[in-house]
Amino acid sequence: MANSKYEYVKNFEQSDKLLPNTWIVIRIDGRGFHKLSDKYGFEKPNDRRALDLMNSAAQAVMKDIPDLIIAYGVSDEFSFVFHRNCSLFERRSSKLVSTIVSTFTAHYTYKWTSYFPDTPLEPNFLPTFDGRAVQYPSIKNLRDYMSWRQVDCHINNLYNTTFWSMVLKGGMRNQDAEQELKGTVSSDKNEILFSRYGVNYNNEPEIFKKGSVLFRDYELEQVKSTSSTKVTDDGEWEDTKLSRTQLDKQQKLRRKADVATAHVDIIKDEFWEQRPWLLSNIPGKLPNSKQSHET
Amino acid sequence: MANSKYEYVKNFEQSDKLLPNTWIVIRIDGRGFHKLSDKYGFEKPNDRRALDLMNSAAQAVMKDIPDLIIAYGVSDEFSFVFHRNCSLFERRSSKLVSTIVSTFTAHYTYKWTSYFPDTPLEPNFLPTFDGRAVQYPSIKNLRDYMSWRQVDCHINNLYNTTFWSMVLKGGMRNQDAEQELKGTVSSDKNEILFSRYGVNYNNEPEIFKKGSVLFRDYELEQVKSTSSTKVTDDGEWEDTKLSRTQLDKQQKLRRKADVATAHVDIIKDEFWEQRPWLLSNIPGKLPNSKQSHET
Amino acid sequence: MANSKYEYVKNFEQSDKLLPNTWIVIRIDGRGFHKLSDKYGFEKPNDRRALDLMNSAAQAVMKDIPDLIIAYGVSDEFSFVFHRNCSLFERRSSKLVSTIVSTFTAHYTYKWTSYFPDTPLEPNFLPTFDGRAVQYPSIKNLRDYMSWRQVDCHINNLYNTTFWSMVLKGGMRNQDAEQELKGTVSSDKNEILFSRYGVNYNNEPEIFKKGSVLFRDYELEQVKSTSSTKVTDDGEWEDTKLSRTQLDKQQKLRRKADVATAHVDIIKDEFWEQRPWLLSNIPGKLPNSKQSHET
Amino acid sequence: MANSKYEYVKNFEQSDKLLPNTWIVIRIDGRGFHKLSDKYGFEKPNDRRALDLMNSAAQAVMKDIPDLIIAYGVSDEFSFVFHRNCSLFERRSSKLVSTIVSTFTAHYTYKWTSYFPDTPLEPNFLPTFDGRAVQYPSIKNLRDYMSWRQVDCHINNLYNTTFWSMVLKGGMRNQDAEQELKGTVSSDKNEILFSRYGVNYNNEPEIFKKGSVLFRDYELEQVKSTSSTKVTDDGEWEDTKLSRTQLDKQQKLRRKADVATAHVDIIKDEFWEQRPWLLSNIPGKLPNSKQSHET
């Protein structure tokens, strides 16, 4: 029995290939995590176990998909970045989004009991995520996106830290705390935290203040004054045409590299200058310890 | 600290709303399930536990998203259908795809141990799925899509049943079986099965031959000879404008309805005529047993 | 000299194929026609020469592109409709839009002097048009689109006829007329026209009240009570698979048919029932006079 | 009479906004110009009048749309480039394409008689154009696109010059000339031209060899060794936030500037370095003669 009579329906699939030479950000967000965090008793304003679980799932995604160059997570969201020269799945948007969302979800579900041993998942309250793809044509746009998420992390965390201090330590009602915080600026919140609750916001854990950045770990490079020597007028690294063998070797290095999880400033240049492989997509040197295993 | 300096990056998100008034099919496919089925020892050619797990995860998706009208699964793929008048997530493609993929993955992972108690998941071999959205403008196109999948199920299952009989029962090498089956038609394969291995293909389990169809379960309706009375010249059910209250009541009925799993022919008209709610999106009557619970 | 070094830039062209089996409407609009109509002294509220020129250009587009089934024009806009089974230019949106816009513009410019012999075009004030493509999945949606444009024609024409009577015959200032018309309903405007200026709106020219509809002209058919016999449950005409020869013959008939320009109601069923070829895309009979030329 | 019943059809218009911060190329192509050039007796291999008419129409488009930064034409095609920071028509693809196609067509039709006074247009053979939009994320991609077109111009012109010399001067049949040229490289064609027909290809008119590039004409700048001082690491000019007044002043300068038509190399850096306004979108200085008119 041939299937030709019905096969025409395949023609209704429309191309959703993303534009070549753009940075692709896949951002995933927890669905209904407000309710979920109540259900499973997440601590306020930040639950370290929940953040560690997010980071662990993101780690697995990074290991699973070596084409990813960096990921940034805060709260129940994570942004995964493909390099502008990435050609995974022919850059088909739905394929990229769904693969990352599914891989993240699988690991998040699988690892749950390691991070919440006392509150097992219930089938009607499984954590799920949605996702989207966004394209950024320039390095500046990409870095501004990353900065946007990290600034957002800071703004929300300062607010939440203050709010929950007022509620949990100060015994205020939610609405009253909300009302008092309306219109306040950063320094006001810092002052409330310090004078009322003895909290110095600067001493809060970096993972709360900065979020989490994941990237493949090669040897750090010294910032060179002539960092632009390798780039074209357009800010792109010269696409030296590499042989199949060279490309395979690079991919192997990426698979081999550890994925680091850091809680550092990604807004300033320093982070990017010390890790030129992030934007060049040329793997750096593996740390000595790792290399020695090869011999 | 305001975030306005970076917020412009939000403008790079492009609209991916699907066309109104089209049937939306979200098809998900297992990623690398060939390797995965080896890893976890799936039986050939069909592993009943794996199919039941797929159906169980799809059940959960149907319960979780009442906007879905029907789903059809075969092997490691599942197609979920939204009605043409669905407005969930403003019909944004990536949101619809990622939500279904994530929900399916979460339940598949969560339920794994119930179906494979002896082969626990390993973190480097988690099952994941990708997905895509396809739009169909007419009922005929949608039904042809469903028929396409079910015919595909039949073609593949007949082939696989024969192939694995030759290998497992007949002791043939894979290549030899493959070679002998090249160019054969259905009757040839039926003959091989029957004459060599005493297998009557017709007696194979329906779930293998027909795949699995999931739908909300209301009271079956008699096929009326004048089935077209409710539809317009264009085959659409008259969109009687419903009040907010009526719509809410319908959605409540959908949530309340059981989701049936059947292994039946969805190519012929009968299946659709007896369940007019599938294409009309007007919930049918709940079975008496369920209704009585309400009083 | 090979061009291979640069040819990669072709990969940046993204697919813009429209969904199969949808009705495609290309609507074009005059750019800055308010200013243009002042420049060339168009009569208010309707300039018959300008409308005739629009219709003449649209006629040429219909003759040039036999895949078009119908067009509807009002003021400085025209909507051209491709049948849902049209495959011209592989249904690429930009190709369809630009071809129609360019063909329309060429004929409008070329024919200008025939309709405005006393006011030749000036190079800094050439009439131009922009365009867009919209897809409609069902006959109902398409007919509602056409109805939308014709109702809009009526609303605007009644307003404009009243407004310009008040200004041109009544000597009112623009703002005063505008102010008085604010909040009025149709009957108010009819009353103003009749009582103050002796104008019975019903007697206004049909081209002003109804706009212009263009379609290929075959022999009218009697409305049959069983008009639905040819259509499927889904309102589609059975796509009888036609041979190449039959398709060529149909296309030949389309090219041969005259394009009629009418100013009639296209909202009611009658117009469509008498011209089943519009929605079926099966050419009707050529009038006897035309057929006889063939022998 | 309200139109609300039908107005829902507006929701079927889907967004086609191009990605921010990409270079937008609108390329238009003559439709059926092979046949058209026969009809109106274009000279082979290049008709100077036809090229001048193309350039004249493109000039008008450039004057009409000051957002365009450069255009490049060859044969019956023209590529128009919008700067990456352009926000015209909210970057809607169909609006940009159709406006350029229509404006070009209008001027081409209008100016025809100036360039072909002896062969007036005939209504069944009007010249028309189709168009498409392509996005380029980096300056390198954009310049490679421009280079691609100019290399194509060279390849085609060398071939056509040789082919038509063989046919028109050498009296060869088309097929024979085609056959002999199969597999030849540039030097072969140069040799044929020179040895058989005494044609030194280098002495052919620049407009044939290089095509035509149109751009706004400000005072040339000396190539500075430090041309990169103004650009960011990403090759983008710093987007100094400009006030409304400053932006208006820039737009005024663009409108005021003459549009130059040149037949020069646009592949090498020199062309772009001397005209930094092309890529920076910051208008240069108007020539003294023009400025003096202002005082």
Side-chain angles (χ1 to χ4, degrees):
Chain A
M1 178 158 67
N3 206 345
S4 56
K5 184 181 170 191
Y6 300 123
E7 253 175 338
Y8 79 91
V9 297
K10 281 200 284 189
N11 298 327
F12 288 71
E13 293 191 20
Q14 296 183 289
S15 169
D16 67 344
K17 286 188 196 175
L18 300 174
L19 191 64
N21 201 26
T22 57
W23 303 90
I24 302 172
V25 175
I26 312 289
R27 182 170 75 246
I28 69 172
D29 287 275
R31 295 181 61 231
F33 261 53
H34 192 77
K35 198 175 150 197
L36 200 90
S37 62
D38 285 347
K39 170 72 189 171
Y40 293 112
F42 286 12
E43 283 168 28
K44 302 289 188 185
N46 294 290
D47 186 302
R48 182 64 199 241
R49 301 161 302 172
L51 292 178
D52 287 344
L53 173 51
M54 288 290 290
N55 289 347
S56 177
Q59 273 268 355
V61 172
M62 291 285 287
K63 290 299 284 184
D64 201 50
I65 307 176
D67 303 75
L68 287 168
I69 56 167
I70 193 170
Y72 177 75
V74 48
S75 183
D76 62 345
E77 77 166 48
F78 239 101
S79 300
F80 295 90
V81 182
F82 289 105
H83 194 270
R84 65 194 314 162
N85 67 18
C86 167
S87 59
L88 185 66
F89 304 143
E90 301 172 278
R91 300 173 73 87
R92 281 181 288 154
S93 177
S94 58
K95 189 103 175 171
L96 293 167
V97 170
S98 60
T99 296
I100 284 187
V101 162
S102 182
T103 306
F104 192 92
T105 305
H107 285 280
Y108 192 97
T109 310
Y110 177 80
K111 293 163 192 275
W112 176 271
T113 46
S114 307
Y115 292 87
F116 291 93
D118 304 326
T119 45
L121 285 175
E122 295 178 27
N124 291 325
F125 295 91
L126 295 189
T128 57
F129 300 83
D130 60 36
R132 75 195 67 196
V134 194
Q135 304 170 80
Y136 290 106
S138 75
I139 291 176
K140 181 175 183 300
N141 294 152
L142 173 69
R143 284 196 45 194
D144 284 350
Y145 173 84
M146 302 299 273
S147 299
W148 176 51
R149 298 324 301 140
Q150 193 165 52
V151 169
D152 226 42
C153 168
H154 169 74
I155 292 172
N156 291 333
N157 189 57
L158 178 55
Y159 181 93
N160 291 336
T161 304
T162 314
F163 175 87
W164 287 105
S165 294
M166 295 163 83
V167 169
L168 298 178
K169 299 180 182 164
M172 292 176 70
R173 293 189 312 162
N174 287 13
Q175 310 92 293
D176 295 339
E178 199 182 324
Q179 192 56 40
E180 184 175 345
L181 287 174
K182 216 168 257 175
T184 58
V185 295
S186 293
S187 54
D188 300 330
K189 297 191 191 77
N190 275 303
E191 179 60 22
I192 291 173
L193 279 174
F194 191 71
S195 61
R196 296 194 201 168
Y197 311 109
V199 171
N200 184 338
Y201 183 75
N202 288 332
N203 297 338
E204 288 290 292
E206 292 299 306
I207 188 175
F208 299 164
K209 290 185 300 181
K210 298 271 193 343
S212 301
V213 53
L214 278 65
F215 51 87
R216 272 164 243 293
D217 210 15
Y218 307 105
E219 280 192 4
L220 274 201
E221 296 199 10
Q222 294 306 314
V223 184
K224 294 170 194 140
S225 55
T226 54
S227 68
S228 61
T229 46
K230 282 171 284 182
V231 303
T232 68
D233 264 13
D234 200 32
E236 290 180 285
W237 272 257
E238 287 286 4
D239 275 344
T240 324
K241 284 293 165 226
L242 298 176
S243 66
R244 191 71 252 163
T245 320
Q246 288 170 306
L247 288 170
D248 287 349
K249 200 177 159 193
Q250 287 194 351
Q251 196 74 338
K252 215 169 160 185
L253 273 171
R254 284 184 200 109
R255 286 188 192 282
K256 195 166 196 169
D258 287 330
V259 173
T261 301
H263 316 291
V264 297
D265 184 296
I266 57 172
I267 301 175
K268 299 207 193 78
D269 294 337
E270 192 195 1
F271 173 82
W272 303 91
E273 287 174 346
Q274 288 190 334
R275 296 164 187 86
W277 59 83
L278 296 176
L279 298 178
S280 72
N281 211 19
I282 301 165
K285 273 192 197 166
L286 291 176
N288 279 330
S289 54
K290 273 233 160 187
Q291 286 182 310
S292 59
H293 289 305
E294 270 193 295
T295 44
Chain B
M1 176 157 70
N3 206 345
S4 56
K5 185 184 169 188
Y6 300 122
E7 255 176 335
Y8 80 92
V9 298
K10 282 200 283 189
N11 298 327
F12 288 72
E13 293 189 19
Q14 296 183 291
S15 169
D16 66 346
K17 287 187 194 174
L18 300 174
L19 192 63
N21 201 25
T22 56
W23 303 89
I24 302 171
V25 174
I26 312 288
R27 183 170 74 248
I28 70 172
D29 288 275
R31 296 181 60 229
F33 261 53
H34 192 77
K35 197 175 150 196
L36 201 89
S37 62
D38 285 346
K39 170 74 190 170
Y40 293 113
F42 285 14
E43 284 168 27
K44 302 288 187 187
N46 294 290
D47 186 301
R48 183 63 200 241
R49 300 161 302 171
L51 292 178
D52 287 345
L53 173 52
M54 288 291 290
N55 289 348
S56 176
Q59 273 267 357
V61 172
M62 291 285 287
K63 290 299 285 183
D64 200 49
I65 307 176
D67 303 74
L68 288 168
I69 55 167
I70 192 169
Y72 177 76
V74 47
S75 182
D76 63 344
E77 76 166 49
F78 240 100
S79 299
F80 295 90
V81 183
F82 288 106
H83 193 270
R84 65 194 313 162
N85 66 19
C86 166
S87 60
L88 184 66
F89 304 143
E90 301 172 277
R91 299 172 73 86
R92 280 182 289 153
S93 177
S94 58
K95 190 104 175 167
L96 292 167
V97 170
S98 59
T99 296
I100 283 187
V101 162
S102 182
T103 306
F104 191 92
T105 304
H107 285 279
Y108 192 97
T109 309
Y110 178 80
K111 292 164 194 274
W112 176 271
T113 46
S114 308
Y115 292 88
F116 291 93
D118 304 327
T119 45
L121 285 174
E122 295 178 27
N124 291 325
F125 296 90
L126 296 189
T128 58
F129 300 83
D130 60 37
R132 76 195 66 196
V134 194
Q135 303 171 81
Y136 291 105
S138 75
I139 291 175
K140 180 174 184 301
N141 294 150
L142 173 68
R143 283 195 46 193
D144 284 349
Y145 173 85
M146 302 299 273
S147 299
W148 176 50
R149 298 325 301 140
Q150 194 166 50
V151 170
D152 225 42
C153 168
H154 169 74
I155 292 172
N156 291 332
N157 190 56
L158 177 56
Y159 182 92
N160 291 336
T161 304
T162 314
F163 175 87
W164 286 105
S165 294
M166 295 162 83
V167 170
L168 297 178
K169 299 181 182 164
M172 292 176 72
R173 292 190 313 164
N174 286 15
Q175 309 93 293
D176 295 337
E178 198 183 324
Q179 191 54 40
E180 184 176 345
L181 287 175
K182 216 168 259 174
T184 58
V185 294
S186 293
S187 54
D188 300 329
K189 298 192 191 76
N190 274 304
E191 179 60 20
I192 291 172
L193 279 175
F194 191 70
S195 61
R196 297 193 201 167
Y197 312 110
V199 172
N200 185 338
Y201 184 75
N202 288 333
N203 296 337
E204 288 291 292
E206 294 298 306
I207 186 175
F208 297 164
K209 290 186 299 182
K210 298 270 193 342
S212 301
V213 53
L214 277 65
F215 52 87
R216 271 163 244 292
D217 210 13
Y218 306 105
E219 282 192 3
L220 273 201
E221 294 200 11
Q222 294 306 316
V223 184
K224 293 167 194 142
S225 56
T226 53
S227 67
S228 62
T229 46
K230 283 171 282 182
V231 303
T232 67
D233 265 12
D234 200 32
E236 289 180 285
W237 272 256
E238 288 284 3
D239 274 344
T240 325
K241 283 292 164 225
L242 299 175
S243 66
R244 191 70 252 165
T245 320
Q246 287 168 307
L247 287 170
D248 287 348
K249 201 176 159 194
Q250 288 194 351
Q251 195 74 338
K252 216 170 158 184
L253 272 169
R254 284 185 202 110
R255 286 187 191 282
K256 196 167 196 169
D258 287 332
V259 173
T261 301
H263 315 293
V264 297
D265 184 296
I266 58 172
I267 300 175
K268 298 207 192 78
D269 293 338
E270 191 193 4
F271 173 82
W272 304 90
E273 286 174 347
Q274 289 189 333
R275 296 164 187 84
W277 59 83
L278 295 177
L279 297 177
S280 72
N281 212 19
I282 302 165
K285 273 192 196 166
L286 290 177
N288 280 331
S289 55
K290 273 236 157 186
Q291 285 182 312
S292 60
H293 288 305
E294 268 193 297
T295 44
Chain C
M1 178 158 67
N3 206 348
S4 56
K5 184 181 167 188
Y6 300 123
E7 253 175 338
Y8 79 92
V9 298
K10 280 200 284 189
N11 298 326
F12 288 72
E13 294 190 18
Q14 296 183 290
S15 169
D16 67 344
K17 286 188 194 175
L18 300 174
L19 191 65
N21 201 25
T22 57
W23 302 89
I24 303 171
V25 174
I26 312 289
R27 182 169 75 247
I28 70 173
D29 288 275
R31 294 181 62 230
F33 261 53
H34 192 79
K35 198 175 150 196
L36 201 89
S37 62
D38 285 347
K39 170 71 190 174
Y40 293 113
F42 286 12
E43 284 168 29
K44 301 290 188 184
N46 294 291
D47 186 301
R48 182 63 199 242
R49 301 162 301 172
L51 292 179
D52 288 344
L53 173 52
M54 288 291 289
N55 290 346
S56 175
Q59 272 268 356
V61 171
M62 291 284 287
K63 292 297 287 182
D64 200 50
I65 307 176
D67 304 76
L68 288 167
I69 55 168
I70 193 170
Y72 177 75
V74 47
S75 183
D76 62 345
E77 77 167 48
F78 238 100
S79 299
F80 295 91
V81 182
F82 288 105
H83 193 270
R84 66 193 313 163
N85 66 18
C86 166
S87 60
L88 185 66
F89 305 142
E90 301 171 279
R91 299 173 74 85
R92 280 182 288 153
S93 177
S94 59
K95 190 105 174 169
L96 292 167
V97 169
S98 60
T99 296
I100 284 187
V101 162
S102 182
T103 307
F104 192 93
T105 305
H107 286 280
Y108 192 97
T109 310
Y110 178 80
K111 292 163 192 276
W112 175 272
T113 46
S114 308
Y115 293 86
F116 291 94
D118 303 328
T119 46
L121 284 175
E122 296 179 26
N124 291 326
F125 295 90
L126 296 189
T128 57
F129 300 83
D130 59 38
R132 77 195 65 197
V134 194
Q135 303 171 78
Y136 291 105
S138 75
I139 291 176
K140 180 175 184 300
N141 294 151
L142 173 68
R143 284 195 44 195
D144 284 350
Y145 174 84
M146 302 298 274
S147 299
W148 176 50
R149 298 324 302 142
Q150 192 166 53
V151 170
D152 225 43
C153 168
H154 169 75
I155 293 172
N156 290 334
N157 189 59
L158 176 56
Y159 181 94
N160 291 336
T161 304
T162 314
F163 175 88
W164 287 106
S165 293
M166 294 162 84
V167 169
L168 297 178
K169 299 180 183 164
M172 291 174 71
R173 291 190 315 164
N174 286 15
Q175 311 92 293
D176 295 338
E178 199 182 322
Q179 192 56 39
E180 185 176 343
L181 287 174
K182 216 168 259 177
T184 57
V185 295
S186 292
S187 54
D188 300 329
K189 299 193 192 74
N190 274 303
E191 178 61 21
I192 291 173
L193 278 174
F194 190 72
S195 62
R196 296 194 201 166
Y197 312 110
V199 172
N200 184 338
Y201 183 74
N202 289 332
N203 297 338
E204 288 291 292
E206 293 299 306
I207 188 176
F208 298 164
K209 290 185 300 181
K210 297 270 194 341
S212 301
V213 53
L214 278 64
F215 52 86
R216 272 164 244 290
D217 211 13
Y218 307 105
E219 281 191 4
L220 273 201
E221 295 198 11
Q222 294 306 315
V223 183
K224 294 169 195 139
S225 56
T226 54
S227 69
S228 62
T229 47
K230 281 172 286 182
V231 302
T232 67
D233 264 12
D234 200 33
E236 290 181 283
W237 272 256
E238 287 285 3
D239 274 343
T240 324
K241 283 294 164 224
L242 298 175
S243 65
R244 191 71 252 163
T245 319
Q246 288 169 306
L247 287 172
D248 287 348
K249 199 175 161 194
Q250 289 193 350
Q251 196 74 337
K252 214 169 160 186
L253 272 170
R254 285 184 201 110
R255 286 188 192 282
K256 195 167 195 169
D258 287 332
V259 173
T261 301
H263 315 292
V264 297
D265 184 297
I266 56 172
I267 299 174
K268 298 206 193 80
D269 294 338
E270 190 194 3
F271 173 81
W272 303 90
E273 287 174 346
Q274 288 189 335
R275 297 164 186 85
W277 60 82
L278 295 177
L279 298 178
S280 71
N281 211 19
I282 301 165
K285 275 193 194 165
L286 290 177
N288 280 329
S289 54
K290 272 235 157 183
Q291 285 182 311
S292 60
H293 288 306
E294 268 194 297
T295 43
Chain D
M1 178 157 69
N3 205 347
S4 56
K5 183 183 169 189
Y6 299 123
E7 253 175 338
Y8 80 92
V9 297
K10 281 199 285 188
N11 298 327
F12 287 71
E13 296 190 16
Q14 296 183 290
S15 168
D16 66 345
K17 286 188 195 174
L18 300 174
L19 191 64
N21 201 26
T22 57
W23 303 90
I24 302 171
V25 174
I26 311 289
R27 183 170 74 246
I28 70 173
D29 287 277
R31 295 181 62 230
F33 261 53
H34 192 77
K35 197 175 151 195
L36 201 90
S37 62
D38 285 347
K39 170 73 190 173
Y40 293 113
F42 285 13
E43 284 169 26
K44 301 290 186 188
N46 295 291
D47 186 302
R48 182 64 198 241
R49 299 162 303 172
L51 292 178
D52 287 345
L53 173 51
M54 288 291 289
N55 290 346
S56 176
Q59 272 268 355
V61 172
M62 291 285 286
K63 290 299 285 184
D64 200 50
I65 307 176
D67 303 76
L68 288 167
I69 56 167
I70 193 170
Y72 176 75
V74 47
S75 182
D76 62 345
E77 77 166 48
F78 238 100
S79 299
F80 295 90
V81 182
F82 288 105
H83 193 270
R84 66 195 312 162
N85 66 18
C86 167
S87 60
L88 185 66
F89 304 142
E90 300 172 277
R91 300 173 72 87
R92 280 182 287 153
S93 177
S94 59
K95 190 104 174 170
L96 292 167
V97 170
S98 60
T99 297
I100 283 187
V101 162
S102 182
T103 307
F104 191 92
T105 305
H107 285 281
Y108 192 97
T109 310
Y110 178 81
K111 292 164 193 275
W112 175 271
T113 46
S114 307
Y115 292 87
F116 291 94
D118 303 327
T119 45
L121 285 175
E122 296 178 28
N124 291 325
F125 295 91
L126 295 189
T128 57
F129 301 83
D130 59 38
R132 77 195 65 197
V134 194
Q135 303 171 80
Y136 290 106
S138 75
I139 291 175
K140 180 175 183 301
N141 294 150
L142 173 69
R143 283 196 45 194
D144 284 349
Y145 173 84
M146 303 298 274
S147 298
W148 176 50
R149 298 323 303 140
Q150 192 165 50
V151 170
D152 225 43
C153 168
H154 169 74
I155 292 172
N156 291 333
N157 189 57
L158 177 55
Y159 182 93
N160 291 337
T161 304
T162 314
F163 175 87
W164 286 105
S165 294
M166 293 163 83
V167 170
L168 298 178
K169 298 181 183 163
M172 291 175 73
R173 292 188 315 161
N174 286 14
Q175 309 95 291
D176 296 338
E178 199 182 324
Q179 192 55 41
E180 183 175 347
L181 287 174
K182 217 167 258 174
T184 58
V185 294
S186 293
S187 54
D188 300 329
K189 299 192 191 76
N190 275 303
E191 179 61 21
I192 290 173
L193 279 175
F194 190 71
S195 63
R196 298 194 200 166
Y197 312 109
V199 172
N200 184 338
Y201 183 74
N202 289 332
N203 295 339
E204 288 291 291
E206 293 298 307
I207 187 175
F208 299 164
K209 291 185 300 181
K210 297 271 193 342
S212 299
V213 53
L214 278 65
F215 52 86
R216 273 164 241 292
D217 212 12
Y218 306 106
E219 281 192 3
L220 273 201
E221 294 199 11
Q222 293 307 314
V223 184
K224 291 168 197 142
S225 56
T226 55
S227 67
S228 62
T229 46
K230 282 171 283 180
V231 303
T232 68
D233 264 12
D234 201 33
E236 290 181 283
W237 272 254
E238 286 285 4
D239 274 344
T240 324
K241 285 292 164 222
L242 298 175
S243 66
R244 192 71 250 164
T245 320
Q246 287 169 308
L247 287 171
D248 287 349
K249 200 177 159 192
Q250 288 193 352
Q251 195 74 336
K252 214 169 159 184
L253 271 170
R254 285 186 199 108
R255 287 189 191 283
K256 195 165 195 170
D258 287 331
V259 173
T261 302
H263 316 292
V264 296
D265 184 295
I266 58 172
I267 300 174
K268 298 207 193 79
D269 293 338
E270 191 193 2
F271 173 81
W272 304 90
E273 287 174 345
Q274 288 189 333
R275 297 163 186 87
W277 59 82
L278 295 176
L279 298 177
S280 72
N281 212 19
I282 303 165
K285 273 192 196 166
L286 290 176
N288 279 331
S289 54
K290 274 234 159 183
Q291 286 183 309
S292 60
H293 289 307
E294 271 194 293
T295 43

